[in-house]
Amino acid sequence: MVYVPGGRTHIGAEDGTPAERPVFVADVEPFFLDIHPVTVAEFRRFADATGYVSEAEKLGDAGVLDFDTGQWRLVTGAHWRLPAGPGAPPAPDDHPVTQVSWNDASAYARWAGKRLPTEVEWEHAARGAGDAPDRYSWGGDALIVDGRHQTNTWQGAFPGRNSAADGFVATSPVGRFGRTRLGLTDMGGNVWQWCEDWFRSYADRSKPFEPGPGAEKVQRGGSFLCHRDFCHGYRVSARSHSTPDTALFHTGFRCARDIPGAAERQQ
Ligand SMILES: [Ca+2]
């Protein structure tokens, strides 16, 4: 894990989507954050040790995007071992685990003695724990630096033509892209990552909230499906959301951990 210093960070982007506004200031305590998303191999160790059965495995299907139409469909037999279904190759060990619901991610985190990050922690870390105004977590505003792709996203026309100019049609090995100034990777692109929070408007963030049926959890980071002209979800301020029982083949997670006594030491 990486030590993420505490500090004051502007959260959101006034030039982002409506969900990213209004920008607010947050004070964040130090914490540890996984260097990269939880991998298929790591999730397998959890499943083997505990006998855990994921929600997609219980339901018998999970969400896969049809690259040609851009439409999501439920594929029978898709789950974290076979993220695109039985007709496609199994998930490689060193890729981020996908087809895990928020509930699955939380169960893994508890087993590992960790927790999911809050979205404020996630953005604070993506901004280098230094309130960096950069659009992207690896710094700056460029997707290609010195001829190298900095992130695994969608190149070409969306939908219909995924040119995979970055080398990957779907997920990529963790650590391949986007090293940040804190040493984190995959904080933009590859897979969306579940956060602890319920998804709410920033304008309502201080108001009482009781999650009802259909309430959704926050996802951060963008994925291999994100196109710059559509969701552009790999910006540090971008947000997505889904119900906590939803499993999709472009969504994974990474874990955080508290530093005992950090809040007291910071005061
Ligand atoms: Ca790609």
Side-chain angles (χ1 to χ4, degrees):
M1 303 183 89
V2 161
Y3 172 74
V4 181
R8 179 162 289 190
T9 293
H10 288 79
I11 303 294
E14 294 297 347
D15 62 353
T17 66
E20 299 162 43
R21 308 191 290 262
V23 171
F24 63 96
V25 174
D27 290 311
V28 184
E29 294 168 8
F31 63 102
F32 288 114
L33 187 63
D34 283 348
I35 291 174
H36 54 69
V38 171
T39 64
V40 171
E42 289 170 329
F43 198 83
R44 181 180 295 111
R45 279 199 287 277
F46 159 61
D48 288 348
T50 63
Y52 187 82
V53 179
S54 70
E55 290 201 279
E57 289 174 290
K58 290 177 188 166
L59 290 168
D61 55 31
V64 177
L65 187 104
D66 186 315
F67 284 0
D68 293 330
T69 66
Q71 300 296 310
W72 286 95
R73 57 196 177 94
L74 286 172
V75 171
T76 301
H79 52 69
W80 64 270
R81 294 181 179 88
L82 296 167
D93 275 1
D94 61 348
H95 285 219
V97 69
T98 62
Q99 297 293 22
V100 284
S101 68
W102 183 92
N103 295 317
D104 297 331
S106 297
Y108 174 95
R110 278 194 299 276
W111 171 78
K114 301 178 181 179
R115 61 176 174 78
L116 296 180
T118 67
E119 70 167 323
V120 163
E121 286 175 331
W122 197 99
E123 186 164 334
H124 173 69
R127 293 184 183 279
D131 202 14
D134 306 65
R135 174 174 283 186
Y136 300 129
S137 55
W138 54 88
D141 189 28
L143 294 175
I144 299 174
V145 178
D146 297 332
R148 283 191 49 143
H149 283 267
Q150 298 297 302
T151 177
N152 175 12
T153 61
W154 180 295
Q155 296 88 42
F158 183 88
R161 199 178 75 85
N162 183 353
S163 72
D166 56 26
F168 297 93
V169 170
T171 54
S172 48
V174 299
R176 182 69 63 95
F177 292 105
R179 186 165 294 276
T180 75
R181 52 180 71 79
L182 289 179
L184 302 163
T185 67
D186 304 279
M187 292 292 280
N190 208 0
V191 292
W192 285 101
Q193 296 153 39
W194 289 111
C195 289
E196 175 61 28
D197 314 67
W198 293 105
F199 178 76
R200 305 177 64 197
S201 161
Y202 285 162
D204 296 335
R205 55 187 290 275
S206 300
K207 297 177 184 173
F209 178 70
E210 193 63 43
E216 296 180 302
K217 291 288 187 176
V218 172
Q219 301 164 344
R220 288 304 201 101
S223 83
F224 62 86
L225 290 179
C226 289
H227 188 289
R228 189 166 187 153
D229 295 340
F230 290 90
C231 77
H232 204 170
Y234 42 88
R235 293 170 296 113
V236 292
S237 56
R239 310 171 76 199
S240 189
H241 47 89
S242 210
T243 56
D245 58 352
T246 297
L248 298 167
F249 86 144
H250 71 333
T251 302
F253 66 103
R254 77 177 73 208
C255 297
R257 195 165 67 200
D258 289 329
I259 299 174
E264 292 74 16
R265 283 200 297 274
Q266 200 173 29
Q267 288 168 3

